[in-house]
């Protein structure tokens, strides 16, 4: 009897039936080949994705159009495996043509920089290749997540405790909060569905993240049952407008149950007045969630934690550690209620009781089997990444990174004010610096619809030129009635004042002829 055997190098051979007691023929040789491949690949990663990708003298990206990139890359999957040298070249190409988000001149998103401890933790997680649904499968990582959650709840100010999970995205964390709020208000919904509840309404500001509307669609509320609350000219939710929207929903026969406040909006970096919103939510018995995915990092800073004043009063918090704190994952935290029903809210809301995983007669404390709290089954132990960072650098360094990032944002704002042709959209409150570049040809035009129309075309062209040159990456967008402007996000510890000066110089070089 014959059996196909695929060795590590991808070559397919036909051999005799393997005897399980003797092991696979050539197994030792295959492991040697595996180790050799990993060593070679790690050298490529160190040279190309770490050293070169963080070197300010190198390009942020090697831009190619989709059609060009399809021609450059060998993307076809074949019946037989390819040579080791070809696979290593695929690794090089994947790095070469990807955006180098660790580059000191990458400012395009709400994440940037290279954190070596988080990177090493990622390697360890992939090498161990476990899943964090039960303690028996992930004993170390289960305890690490537990410690992290408790420590972060203390930063929020929940002295009585709480519960939480690390999740694959800030959007997912916000959706968890919505689902928990609905379960608290209407626990029968889990089994009976939509017939168990009245028309439920969620409220969020006009600057809130779009994941709230997505949660409404995914969880069956409908996007028309998301009431949008106006924000002021700095992007903060207006508490009196929230009160009006709540009363409107009630007058229509609907039941408001959930309010989403934002600590650090995506574009302007605004912080909603949590204390005032909490007063309103307590008055109407509404679940108050804070989307602190971007601004949560301020909690580690004595100087800036005032931005989240009142956060200890909220019911749940979403926090993206991969942003300001240089980690690579997200989490949802919710406050522990003193009533016994709500102490296990995360578990009650999401549990399915799979008997092949969550046996209650195990030989250890099954309260450490956290998988049934999650809507996922398999879950990567990503808490390890941030734990290793925190363990390596300490709380003081995390605080320093936040303070330094915000100080650099202030520096950039001051430099923008000094330069002809640059204008702030708004004075920055956090690490978002939003500004226009006005080319020489437009500087003498009076402020009018004609100027705004022409200015609207500037940022997209400058963005195209910087991408094709590879010199830097910065995002742009329009906002309300404002024409396109640049949004600089200063996070990375590798960024210097010289890099920020370069950005302004480079924008002028790329756009002065427009």
């Amino acid at each position: 009897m014959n059996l196909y055997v695929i060795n590590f190098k991808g070559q397919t051979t036909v051999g005799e039936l393997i005897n399980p007691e003797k092991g696979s023929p050539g197994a030792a040789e295959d492991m040697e080949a595996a180790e050799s491949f990993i060593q070679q690949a790690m050298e490529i990663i160190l040279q190309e994705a770490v050293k070169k990708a963080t070197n300010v003298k190198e390009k942020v990206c090697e831009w190619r159009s989709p059609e060009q990139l399809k021609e450059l890359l060998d993307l076809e999957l074949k019946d037989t495996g390819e040579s080791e040298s070809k696979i290593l070249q695929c690794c090089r190409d994947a790095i070469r043509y990807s955006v180098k988000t660790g580059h000191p001149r990458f400012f395009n998103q709400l994440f940037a920089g290279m954190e070596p401890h988080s990177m090493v933790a990622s390697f360890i997680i992939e090498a161990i290749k476990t899943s964090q649904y039960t303690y028996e499968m992930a004993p170390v990582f289960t305890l690490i997540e537990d410690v992290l959650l408790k420590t972060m709840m203390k930063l929020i100010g929940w002295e009585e405790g709480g519960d939480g999970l690390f999740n694959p995205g800030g959007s997912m964390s916000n959706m968890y909060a919505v689902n928990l709020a609905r379960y608290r208000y209407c626990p029968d919904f889990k089994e009976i569905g939509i017939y168990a509840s009245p028309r439920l309404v969620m409220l969020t500001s006009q600057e809130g993240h779009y994941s709230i509307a997505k949660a409404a669609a995914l969880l069956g509320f409908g996007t028309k049952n998301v009431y949008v609350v106006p924000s002021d000219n700095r992007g903060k939710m207006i508490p009196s407008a929230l009160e009006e929207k709540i009363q409107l929903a009630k007058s229509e026969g609907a039941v408001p149950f959930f309010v989403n406040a934002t600590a650090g909006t995506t574009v302007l970096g605004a912080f909603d007045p949590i204390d005032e919103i909490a007063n309103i939510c307590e008055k109407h018995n509404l679940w108050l969630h804070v989307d602190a995915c971007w601004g949560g990092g301020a909690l580690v800073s004595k100087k800036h934690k005032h931005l989240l004043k009142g956060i200890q009063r909220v019911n749940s918090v979403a926090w993206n550690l991969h942003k300001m704190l240089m980690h690579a994952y997200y989490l949802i935290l919710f406050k522990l209620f003193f009533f016994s029903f709500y102490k296990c809210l995360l578990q009650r809301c999401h549990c399915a009781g799979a008997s092949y995983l969550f046996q209650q007669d195990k030989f250890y404390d099954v309260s450490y089997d956290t998988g049934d709290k999650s809507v996922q089954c398999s879950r990567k132990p990503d808490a390890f990444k941030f734990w290793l960072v925190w363990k390596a650098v300490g709380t003081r360094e995390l605080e320093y990174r936040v303070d330094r990032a915000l100080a650099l944002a202030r520096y950039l704002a001051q430099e923008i004010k000094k330069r002809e042709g640059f204008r702030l959209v708004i004075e920055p409150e956090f690490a978002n610096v939003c500004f226009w570049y006005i080319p020489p040809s437009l500087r003498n035009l009076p402020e009018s619809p004609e100027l705004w129309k022409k200015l609207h075309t500037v940022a997209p062209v400058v963005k195209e030129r910087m991408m094709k040159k590879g010199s830097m990456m910065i995002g742009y967008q329009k906002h309300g009635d404002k024409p396109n402007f640049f949004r600089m996000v200063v996070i990375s510890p590798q960024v210097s004042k010289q890099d920020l000066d370069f950005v302004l110089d480079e924008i002028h070089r790329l756009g002065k002829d427009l």
Side-chain angles (χ1 to χ4, degrees):
M1 181 177 180
N2 293 327
L3 180 72
Y4 282 103
V5 178
I6 312 295
N7 71 15
F8 185 81
K9 294 181 180 180
Q11 300 163 343
T12 307
T13 59
V14 180
E16 293 300 315
L17 180 66
I18 296 171
N19 183 337
E21 295 182 359
K22 294 183 177 179
S24 173
E29 290 82 355
D30 283 349
M31 276 309 303
E32 289 179 6
E35 291 173 8
S36 173
F37 172 78
I38 292 171
Q39 289 173 349
Q40 293 178 77
M42 287 301 297
E43 184 60 29
I44 292 171
I45 291 169
L46 284 172
Q47 293 299 323
E48 303 295 325
V50 177
K51 290 184 179 180
K52 190 173 179 181
T54 57
N55 187 340
V56 73
K57 296 180 181 179
E58 299 288 343
K59 290 184 176 182
V60 176
C61 65
E62 291 273 359
W63 173 257
R64 299 291 187 276
S65 70
E67 293 73 22
Q68 291 172 325
L69 201 54
K70 287 176 186 177
E71 291 295 320
L72 285 170
L73 302 177
D74 181 4
L75 301 175
E76 182 185 0
L77 298 174
K78 302 173 183 178
D79 291 337
T80 57
E82 303 195 38
S83 67
E84 184 179 89
S85 61
K86 181 66 180 291
I87 299 305
L88 290 171
Q89 186 58 46
C90 288
C91 295
R92 293 188 188 93
D93 290 342
I95 296 170
R96 177 181 178 183
Y97 296 110
S98 292
V99 174
K100 312 306 186 294
T101 63
H103 195 284
R105 292 173 182 170
F106 173 84
F107 303 98
N108 202 69
Q109 310 298 143
L110 298 180
F111 61 88
M114 193 278 292
E115 218 309 317
H117 307 98
S118 181
M119 183 183 297
V120 168
S122 297
F123 296 158
I124 293 171
I125 288 169
E126 294 304 323
I128 292 176
K129 201 170 64 174
T130 191
S131 181
Q132 195 172 339
Y133 31 58
T134 61
Y135 177 82
E136 63 186 286
M137 279 301 299
V140 174
F141 301 135
T142 296
L143 297 180
I144 281 174
E145 183 178 60
D146 184 59
V147 167
L148 258 183
L149 292 174
K150 289 176 179 176
T151 305
M152 299 182 78
M153 287 172 197
K154 288 181 181 179
L155 286 176
I156 292 171
W158 291 344
E159 296 300 329
E160 68 271 26
D163 205 351
L165 284 173
F166 279 73
N167 296 305
S171 294
M172 181 63 75
S173 294
N174 287 336
M175 290 180 190
Y176 265 95
V178 174
N179 205 38
L180 287 168
R182 179 173 65 182
Y183 184 75
R184 185 190 72 155
Y185 179 81
C186 186
D188 289 341
F189 196 100
K190 179 179 178 180
E191 295 183 349
I192 302 173
I194 193 170
Y195 305 104
S197 71
R199 178 185 158 217
L200 299 176
V201 164
M202 304 155 57
L203 300 105
T204 189
S205 83
Q206 66 187 56
E207 299 294 324
H209 195 261
Y210 64 84
S211 60
I212 299 301
K214 284 195 171 187
L218 182 65
L219 296 173
F221 297 103
T223 56
K224 289 188 176 180
N225 289 312
V226 179
Y227 283 28
V228 177
V229 181
S231 301
D232 63 20
N233 58 8
R234 291 195 56 80
K236 300 171 181 290
M237 183 190 288
I238 302 172
S240 61
L242 172 63
E243 178 71 45
E244 291 173 5
K245 289 288 185 177
I246 292 170
Q247 296 296 349
L248 174 63
K250 290 182 175 181
S251 71
E252 295 171 345
V255 178
F257 79 105
F258 175 91
V259 173
N260 174 68
T262 307
T265 58
T266 305
V267 178
L268 300 178
F271 287 73
D272 288 340
I274 298 172
D275 252 340
E276 294 177 64
I277 295 170
N279 290 338
I280 295 171
C281 289
E282 288 174 4
K283 172 184 173 183
H284 293 280
N285 192 29
L286 306 181
W287 181 288
L288 175 55
H289 171 68
V290 170
D291 176 355
C293 288
W294 174 216
L299 287 171
V300 304
S301 167
K302 299 181 187 70
K303 185 176 181 180
H304 299 290
K305 65 181 180 180
H306 67 89
L307 294 168
L308 295 98
K309 183 177 180 292
I311 196 168
Q312 75 281 358
R313 300 174 62 187
V314 312
N315 300 105
S316 56
V317 177
W319 190 348
N320 285 20
L321 302 174
H322 83 303
K323 293 182 176 177
M324 182 60 73
L325 295 183
M326 303 287 296
H327 168 50
Y329 234 63
Y330 320 71
L331 73 158
I332 175 70
L333 299 163
F334 82 93
K335 194 172 184 179
L336 184 64
F337 297 88
F338 289 109
F339 303 106
S340 60
F341 177 81
Y342 298 124
K343 286 184 178 179
C344 302
L345 192 64
L346 201 57
Q347 174 80 18
R348 289 173 178 267
C349 183
H350 300 120
C351 69
S355 60
Y356 68 94
L357 284 174
F358 307 115
Q359 304 92 335
Q360 296 303 296
D361 55 357
K362 291 181 179 179
F363 62 93
Y364 59 86
D365 182 354
V366 295
S367 67
Y368 287 99
D369 287 353
T370 58
D372 222 11
K373 297 178 183 180
S374 169
V375 296
Q376 300 168 252
C377 180
S378 297
R379 189 164 62 94
K380 284 190 174 183
D382 288 281
F384 179 54
K385 299 175 188 177
F386 187 51
W387 178 86
L388 197 63
V389 173
W390 202 333
K391 193 77 169 172
V393 306
T395 307
R396 290 180 183 176
E397 172 63 19
L398 294 178
E399 180 178 17
Y400 171 75
R401 290 180 182 184
V402 172
D403 290 346
R404 182 179 184 274
L406 297 189
L408 284 174
R410 303 292 183 272
Y411 169 82
L412 178 62
Q414 292 305 314
E415 290 301 305
I416 288 170
K417 293 176 184 178
K418 296 176 185 177
R419 296 199 181 208
E420 185 181 7
F422 288 84
R423 185 191 303 181
L424 284 174
V425 175
I426 189 172
E427 193 72 33
E429 185 174 22
F430 200 48
N432 311 48
V433 183
C434 301
F435 62 94
W436 288 288
Y437 170 69
I438 305 170
S441 66
L442 302 180
R443 290 175 191 171
N444 294 323
L445 292 179
E447 290 201 16
S448 64
E450 179 189 4
L451 171 62
W452 296 128
K453 183 178 180 181
K454 290 181 178 180
L455 188 59
H456 189 68
T457 65
V458 172
V461 176
V462 174
K463 176 65 179 282
E464 177 184 0
R465 291 176 177 179
M466 74 173 72
M467 291 288 290
K468 290 181 175 179
K469 185 178 177 182
S471 57
M472 59 186 187
M473 274 186 72
I474 305 171
Y476 75 88
Q477 69 283 305
K478 63 179 182 178
H479 187 265
D481 59 354
K482 295 180 175 66
N484 281 325
F485 55 82
F486 292 105
R487 182 199 65 169
M488 276 276 292
V489 182
V490 184
I491 308 173
S492 171
Q494 286 85 41
V495 172
S496 66
K497 289 182 178 180
Q498 290 74 24
D499 293 316
L500 301 181
D501 293 338
F502 172 86
V503 166
L504 300 182
D505 293 338
E506 182 74 348
I507 288 175
H508 178 65
R509 279 192 291 268
L510 296 172
K512 62 186 177 182
D513 64 325
L514 297 177

